[in-house]
Amino acid sequence: MITSPEQLFMRLAEQGIALPEQEKKEIEKAAGKYRMAVSDYYFHLIDWNDPDDPIRKQCIPSKEECKNPDWYSADPLNEKKYEHVPFLVHKYRSRAAFLCSNTCYTVCRHCTRKNTVMNEEVCTTEALPAALSYVECHPKINDILITGGDPFALPLKTLETYLAGFYSLPNVNTIRVGTRAIVTEPEKITDELCDMLKKYHPLWVFTQFNHPKEVTGPVREACGRLLDRGIPLGNQSVLLKGINNDADVLEELYTRLIGLRVRPYYLYLCDRVSGTAHFATDYQEGVALVEELRYRLPGYAVPKFVIDAYGSSGGKVTVEKNHVLEETKDYIILQGLSDHTAVKFRR
Ligand code: SF4
C-alpha cells in the first residue's frame, strides 16, 4: 500500500516515470490536507500516460482538492448529529449504521466519509456493547449497515465479533456490509472471509464501482466467491465529473456489472464533501444520464439516481424525470421509452 507522496514518487521512479516538480508539490499539499492510501492492486490499474485516467483521479491527490467552496463540509450527511452512541448512526426509522473501521485499502479522493476515514479515533470492540444495547432498545431497527471506512480491512475475528453481536439481536432482520475492497483489493475477499460471512445470513454486500476499468479478472473472482456463498451484491456508484459523467461509460460499467451478477442500485450525486468540488456535477446531468441508460439498458441494470439530502435527515431522495406528460379522467399520456413519442394509456 502506498500511503505517502514519497512512496508514490519512489514507486513511479521504479517504473521510469518522473512527475513534474510542480505536480509533486501539489500532490504533497493535497495529501497533507486529506491523507492518501492506494493499494498495490489499484495502483497497477493506473495508466500514467493518460492524465485523465479514471483510476488515477479516484486515488491520487490533486491540486483541485485544495480549491474548496467554504460551504463544503467534512460531514455532509450530518452523521455526527445522529451518532447516538459512539460509532452508531441512527438516522432512519428502521436502519442504523455501525462505523466499525476508519481504514480503507484505498482512500478515495471523493470519499463522503472523510469525517470517519480521516479521523484518528478508531472503533474497537469495546464500543460494541453500547451499540448493541442501543439497537436492542430501539426495536424498530431491523437493518444494520456495517460500514466505515472499510469493514473488510478489519482483522477477520474483529469483523466477526461485530457481525455476531448484531446478528444475535432478535430485532435485527438483515445485515448489510458496505465495502470497496472488492474494487480496490479484490484478493482480500478470501474464501475464509466469505465462509465467515455466510454464517450471518441474510447478509448483503454493497460496493462501489465507478468506472468499467475497475471490472477486472480478480474482481470477477472476488464477486464469484461472495455470490457462491449466497451473498447478494449491489453497487452504489458516485457520479464523478471527468470520470463517469458520460452515458457510454456508465452503459459499459453497468453492462459489465450485471455480467458479474452485481446489481446497479444507486447512482449518487457526489455529496458536497470538502475537497471534492472538482468532481461535482449538477443534478440535471444525473437525471439525463439515467434517462439515457433507461433507453440503452435492461431495467435491472439501471440504478436509481439519488441525492443524499445533506444537512437534514432527508435521506436518499430519488430524482427522476416524470414520464406522465398529461392526464385526463380516462387516460394518461406517457412518454414512450424507445422513441420518446407520446403513448395513450387507458386508466
Ligand atoms: S472505500 Fe468508502 S469509506 Fe473508504 S475512502 Fe473510499 S468511499 Fe471512503
Side-chain angles (χ1 to χ4, degrees):
M1 190 191 268
I2 296 167
T3 55
S4 70
E6 296 68 39
Q7 287 175 359
L8 171 68
F9 305 149
M10 266 171 50
R11 293 290 294 277
L12 289 173
E14 284 163 18
Q15 296 180 22
I17 300 168
L19 295 178
E21 283 310 310
Q22 180 60 25
E23 193 176 348
K24 281 185 175 178
K25 281 193 191 127
E26 289 160 359
I27 290 175
E28 280 165 353
K29 189 173 169 199
K33 210 162 177 198
Y34 308 111
R35 80 176 173 86
M36 72 174 293
V38 188
S39 70
D40 202 46
Y41 163 84
Y42 205 61
F43 175 74
H44 279 106
L45 296 184
I46 299 173
D47 174 1
W48 287 92
N49 293 317
D50 177 4
D52 289 323
D53 182 84
I55 307 295
R56 176 177 177 173
K57 285 187 170 179
Q58 288 185 73
C59 66
I60 303 297
S62 82
K63 65 177 178 189
E64 309 301 330
E65 294 173 37
C66 301
K67 300 174 195 158
N68 223 359
D70 57 10
W71 56 275
Y72 272 50
S73 157
D75 179 19
L77 306 182
N78 207 14
E79 290 191 326
K80 263 287 159 212
K81 181 175 167 195
Y82 299 94
E83 194 175 329
H84 299 290
V85 293
F87 306 105
L88 189 88
V89 177
H90 182 203
K91 202 164 163 186
Y92 309 118
R93 185 172 180 268
S94 61
R95 288 92 83 196
F98 186 57
L99 310 179
C100 66
S101 157
N102 66 350
T103 306
C104 298
Y105 290 111
T106 291
V107 170
C108 312
R109 306 320 296 172
H110 56 275
C111 178
T112 218
R113 286 238 162 78
K114 285 205 161 86
N115 221 22
T116 305
V117 172
M118 307 289 163
N119 197 340
E120 296 302 317
E121 201 188 349
V122 187
C123 178
T124 68
T125 50
E126 283 176 26
L128 187 61
L132 293 181
S133 94
Y134 180 90
V135 173
E136 202 168 14
C137 293
H138 292 78
K140 293 260 183 313
I141 299 177
N142 58 22
D143 180 85
I144 297 291
L145 172 64
I146 307 281
T147 183
D150 199 320
F152 288 169
L154 292 173
L156 202 68
K157 274 197 167 162
T158 310
L159 176 59
E160 181 157 21
T161 303
Y162 296 137
L163 291 171
F166 288 108
Y167 185 77
S168 71
L169 300 179
N171 50 317
V172 172
N173 177 51
T174 38
I175 296 179
R176 285 179 287 156
V177 179
T179 175
R180 241 200 141 195
I182 299 171
V183 182
T184 62
E185 190 67 322
E187 285 178 7
K188 294 287 177 188
I189 313 301
T190 59
D191 285 323
E192 199 188 359
L193 169 68
C194 299
D195 284 339
M196 183 277 281
L197 294 173
K198 78 172 186 188
K199 291 194 259 170
Y200 301 100
H201 272 312
L203 182 139
W204 296 65
V205 168
F206 286 87
T207 189
Q208 185 200 124
F209 288 92
N210 293 323
H211 193 277
K213 210 176 156 181
E214 293 171 332
V215 182
T216 63
V219 157
R220 178 177 291 277
E221 287 165 20
C223 292
R225 287 191 284 278
L226 289 160
L227 291 159
D228 287 350
R229 272 75 171 189
I231 298 168
L233 300 179
N235 187 63
Q236 306 186 339
S237 308
V238 184
L239 184 59
L240 299 164
K241 184 152 86 185
I243 293 177
N244 63 9
N245 60 328
D246 177 283
D248 292 339
V249 169
L250 291 176
E251 180 185 10
E252 191 181 342
L253 172 65
Y254 296 136
T255 301
R256 288 190 187 192
L257 289 184
I258 57 170
L260 295 185
R261 291 177 287 157
V262 177
R263 168 92 204 266
Y265 177 56
Y266 281 153
L267 172 63
Y268 282 100
L269 184 79
C270 190
D271 290 325
R272 296 341 191 190
V273 195
S274 312
T276 67
H278 56 301
F279 290 130
T281 57
D282 186 65
Y283 87 93
Q284 285 179 341
E285 191 170 356
V287 173
L289 282 166
V290 167
E291 190 61 17
E292 178 64 23
L293 293 175
R294 249 192 264 281
Y295 173 61
R296 295 190 188 189
L297 292 169
Y300 71 100
V302 181
K304 286 186 212 167
F305 178 61
V306 291
I307 301 177
D308 214 336
Y310 60 93
S312 73
S313 57
K316 294 161 190 73
V317 181
T318 306
V319 187
E320 58 188 5
K321 187 169 178 192
N322 183 356
H323 295 95
V324 179
L325 299 175
E326 197 185 321
E327 57 184 296
T328 68
K329 189 168 136 304
D330 298 322
Y331 290 95
I332 53 175
I333 310 294
L334 299 170
Q335 185 179 46
L337 184 64
S338 51
D339 57 6
H340 292 187
T341 52
V343 183
K344 201 171 178 184
F345 179 84
R346 184 147 201 175
R347 296 178 98 164

